[in-house]
Amino acid sequence: MLNKNVETFLCCDAEYDDARIVLFGAPYDSTTSYRPGTRFGSRAIRQESFGVESYSPYQDADLLDCAIFDSGDIELSFGAQQAPLADIEDRTATILADGKLPFMLGGEHLVTLGAVRAVAKKHPDLHIIHFDAHADLRDDYLGVQLSHACVLHRCWDILGDGRIFQFGIRSGDREEFRWGEKHVTTRKFDFVGLEEVLEEIGDKPVYFTLDLDVLDPSVFPGTGTPEAGGVTFDQLRRAATLVCKTMNIVGCDVNELSPPYDPSGISAMAACKIVREMLLALQR
Ligand SMILES: [Mn+2]
């Protein structure tokens, strides 16, 4: 017998009932402020994942030993904002209702809001760990509140003060940094202080959102809003692994890969490798 041609992320071909982690793609980039293209991100991550090994020498662990289900991309309406966010919330809620961990591949960063809406309903004491070059704390961007430049402010609307912890931030306007000082914890430029924050959060439920533009554009040029002065791949790998391994992760996402801006493909490969490391670190 032959098998159907179903494209999943590398080795993420378990049956739904057997899987604890469920991947899905949110190929959406309608509010991207500079260069669009992240709608192609999740597809590129799946395709290119077959170029990385399933085995991680860092963790001595193998995706072949994991039961992970890839539920594919959601079909999202470009140009709209509320409907795509509702669709993402629905998919996330379905996965949570089945007792599984949702792992979303973006897409631009606004997609995080849809997932956080669902996760926060199940876990009212939710905390967010956010890696990014950009603070994403504006209340509006050119008058629009549902924008990728405002996504963490929208998450704050749900969670309130003291629940959001940002790392790697090196870009934003003066107002959003001032606002952030009062309402969230922002560690600029790198991951210094991460261990203390993880200790402070303890075993509270955590949503982990990783904007890949936290990486330096020299290793990750394939993104819509590249920002010089970022972290190295290895700094990110260590930090993301630590978060996934030690925290009570109840949802996560990796976003802002925009394949059209990197014909070399190294950005997509970096994304695949970090997703592999996160999936392995999330095994319990
Ligand atoms: Mn960003």
Side-chain angles (χ1 to χ4, degrees):
M1 192 184 95
L2 300 176
N3 294 321
K4 277 186 290 187
N5 173 26
V6 178
E7 188 163 67
T8 70
F9 189 84
L10 179 68
C11 298
C12 296
D13 51 4
E15 295 298 323
Y16 184 72
D17 287 346
D18 300 332
R20 193 183 68 86
I21 301 175
V22 176
L23 285 173
F24 66 95
Y28 176 82
D29 60 6
S30 291
T31 81
T32 298
S33 51
Y34 187 35
R35 312 185 300 184
T38 59
R39 69 178 66 181
F40 303 114
S42 50
R43 196 186 308 169
I45 289 174
R46 278 199 195 84
Q47 277 171 357
E48 298 305 313
S49 68
F50 290 84
V52 298
E53 299 281 359
S54 61
Y55 174 74
S56 164
Y58 305 101
Q59 301 185 58
D60 186 22
D62 200 315
L63 286 176
L64 285 169
D65 302 328
C66 305
I68 303 165
F69 182 84
D70 185 345
S71 67
D73 283 355
I74 313 178
E75 200 171 355
L76 297 170
S77 171
F78 297 115
Q81 289 151 323
Q82 295 290 5
L85 287 173
D87 292 342
I88 292 166
E89 182 178 349
D90 280 354
R91 175 74 63 101
T92 309
T94 299
I95 296 167
L96 291 170
D98 291 331
K100 302 176 189 299
L101 175 70
F103 191 132
M104 176 169 62
L105 304 173
E108 59 150 271
H109 210 160
L110 183 64
V111 299
T112 298
L113 178 60
V116 164
R117 282 174 175 169
V119 177
K121 274 180 190 156
K122 183 168 180 186
H123 301 280
D125 56 341
L126 187 69
H127 290 58
I128 293 179
I129 296 178
H130 169 218
F131 293 177
D132 201 328
H134 309 93
D136 289 353
L137 291 172
R138 284 172 160 90
D139 188 34
D140 70 272
Y141 186 72
L142 304 177
V144 175
Q145 289 196 306
L146 291 177
S147 160
H148 76 148
C150 311
V151 63
L152 270 295
H153 196 121
R154 295 290 80 76
C155 293
W156 175 86
D157 292 342
I158 299 170
L159 300 177
D161 286 349
R163 300 283 196 86
I164 296 172
F165 299 84
Q166 311 182 296
F167 291 86
I169 311 300
R170 57 188 184 277
S171 177
D173 74 5
R174 182 159 47 186
E175 287 309 305
E176 60 183 319
F177 275 101
R178 295 279 181 275
W179 184 89
E181 284 166 16
K182 298 192 201 95
H183 302 288
V184 305
T185 299
T186 303
R187 304 290 180 125
K188 290 187 247 184
F189 313 130
D190 54 28
F191 301 113
V192 170
L194 179 62
E195 284 85 352
E196 289 84 342
V197 161
L198 299 188
E199 208 157 293
E200 183 185 334
I201 296 173
D203 60 1
K204 304 255 176 41
V206 169
Y207 187 91
F208 178 34
T209 179
L210 168 52
D211 182 333
L212 290 162
D213 67 26
V214 71
L215 286 163
D216 192 79
S218 60
V219 291
F220 191 78
T223 193
T225 322
E227 193 69 44
V231 300
T232 67
F233 181 82
D234 214 54
Q235 281 177 296
L236 174 61
R237 180 191 62 75
R238 284 170 194 274
T241 303
L242 184 68
V243 169
C244 291
K245 227 181 179 58
T246 61
M247 303 307 286
N248 175 20
I249 303 290
V250 293
C252 63
D253 65 64
V254 172
N255 59 73
E256 294 283 356
L257 167 67
S258 188
Y261 299 107
D262 178 10
S264 81
I266 56 171
S267 305
M269 291 306 288
C272 293
K273 192 164 171 177
I274 206 74
V275 169
R276 179 192 75 190
E277 293 300 314
M278 288 172 63
L279 289 170
L280 292 171
L282 286 166
Q283 298 301 312
R284 296 288 185 268

